[in-house]
């Protein structure tokens, strides 16, 4: 554990709380991609199966349980409690375009050909692209609510802090996880353009808007 890992976890948790708070307060989930939230729930489910087999620390266990609960509560709110406010017409990203290659890569590139290891690898690869339906939805509608942009910012910040965590671990422990690092770099790249828009628009009190696709 180091400060970058802790800050990354807190940033991740804050992102999820912001999203849940937004939905609960407004009683509305418009502008939020349910497909991205399904993918994130799948990420946590396949990654945290070791909850039943491997105890690392109280902190680790509590964070895993909290992330799982937040993910599934978010999915329930979108597809259950506030389903009538869900913008399904704009949440049209084809999930099979992500799931099929991720599943294939998980079987081809992993550290051990065992069920738990393949599922963990699947979760790492899937997390790197799980935000794409949300970014696609924003590009399709041309804008995003401020609270949604805050959610995306802290989600991207979490990945950037985890990159710093891996660098720190390599320096202090000579530890290097190629699958996690490469996937994390790919995920952070997806956020780069958004980070620029967030700093130049949202932090200046402007609404984030994008050119409408032709």
């Amino acid at each position: 554990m180091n400060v970058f890992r802790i800050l990354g976890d807190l940033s991740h948790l804050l992102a999820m709380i912001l999203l849940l708070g937004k939905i609960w307060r407004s009683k509305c989930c418009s502008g939020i991609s349910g497909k991205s939230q399904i993918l994130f729930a799948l990420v946590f489910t396949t990654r945290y199966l070791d909850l039943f087999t491997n105890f690392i620390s109280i902190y680790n266990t509590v964070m895993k349980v909290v992330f799982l609960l937040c993910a599934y509560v978010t999915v329930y709110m979108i597809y259950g409690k506030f389903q009538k406010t869900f913008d399904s017409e704009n949440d049209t990203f084809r999930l099979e375009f992500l799931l099929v290659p991720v599943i294939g890569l998980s079987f081809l590139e992993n550290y051990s050909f065992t069920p738990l290891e393949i599922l963990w690898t699947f979760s790492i690869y899937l997390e790197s692209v799980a935000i794409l339906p949300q970014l696609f939805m924003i590009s399709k509608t041309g804008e995003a609510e401020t609270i949604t942009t805050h959610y995306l910012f802290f989600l991207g910040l979490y990945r950037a802090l985890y990159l710093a965590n891996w660098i720190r671990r390599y320096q202090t422990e000579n530890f290097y996880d190629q699958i996690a690092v490469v996937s994390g770099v790919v995920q952070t790249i997806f956020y780069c353009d958004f980070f620029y828009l967030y700093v130049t628009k949202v932090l200046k009190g402007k609404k984030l808007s994008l050119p409408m696709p032709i």
Side-chain angles (χ1 to χ4, degrees):
M1 294 290 291
N2 58 63
V3 66
F4 298 113
R5 165 72 184 272
I6 295 173
L7 290 176
D9 287 342
L10 293 177
S11 179
H12 195 180
L13 182 60
L14 179 57
M16 300 180 78
I17 291 174
L18 281 172
L19 187 64
L20 278 172
K22 182 266 182 190
I23 297 174
W24 184 256
R25 286 194 305 271
S26 65
K27 310 298 181 186
C28 175
C29 52
S30 63
I32 299 171
S33 170
K35 291 186 175 182
S36 269
Q37 297 310 311
I38 287 175
L39 293 181
F40 282 124
L42 185 58
V43 165
F44 297 135
T45 301
T46 53
R47 181 175 303 171
Y48 297 153
L49 290 173
D50 65 349
L51 269 172
F52 305 103
T53 61
N54 187 24
F55 177 79
I56 298 175
S57 67
I58 294 177
Y59 171 85
N60 183 273
T61 299
V62 169
M63 292 299 280
K64 287 178 178 179
V65 171
V66 170
F67 286 149
L68 281 166
L69 287 174
C70 287
Y72 278 99
V73 169
T74 302
V75 171
Y76 164 71
M77 286 187 175
I78 294 173
Y79 290 101
K81 191 173 182 64
F82 303 120
Q83 182 180 11
K84 292 181 179 179
T85 67
F86 173 50
D87 187 10
S88 59
E89 292 184 359
N90 288 313
D91 194 15
T92 57
F93 194 96
R94 300 280 295 276
L95 293 187
E96 61 267 30
F97 291 164
L98 301 178
L99 289 172
V100 171
V102 164
I103 291 171
L105 191 58
S106 301
F107 279 92
L108 293 173
E109 292 291 334
N110 54 67
Y111 293 128
S112 175
F113 204 75
T114 62
L116 281 180
E117 187 64 31
I118 290 173
L119 287 171
W120 177 86
T121 305
F122 168 82
S123 77
I124 297 296
Y125 292 147
L126 183 60
E127 186 181 20
S128 69
V129 296
I131 199 61
L132 289 182
Q134 180 67 66
L135 298 178
F136 177 77
M137 188 177 188
I138 292 175
S139 69
K140 190 173 181 181
T141 59
E143 61 182 21
E145 294 182 21
T146 300
I147 193 65
T148 305
T149 61
H150 292 332
Y151 159 73
L152 290 172
F153 172 78
F154 282 106
L155 206 57
L157 180 62
Y158 140 67
R159 295 314 307 176
L161 286 167
Y162 255 60
L163 287 179
N165 161 62
W166 291 320
I167 293 172
R168 182 60 177 167
R169 290 193 66 182
Y170 181 74
Q171 292 175 336
T172 59
E173 305 171 33
N174 199 30
F175 174 82
Y176 176 71
D177 187 329
Q178 182 176 335
I179 290 176
V181 171
V182 172
S183 298
V185 169
V186 169
Q187 186 176 359
T188 305
I189 289 172
F190 286 140
Y191 285 97
C192 285
D193 186 49
F194 171 80
F195 280 149
Y196 172 77
L197 293 173
Y198 185 87
V199 171
T200 57
K201 291 190 175 183
V202 178
L203 292 184
K204 294 181 179 180
K206 302 177 183 178
K207 191 170 185 178
L208 189 148
S209 58
L210 301 171
M212 291 295 288
I214 298 176

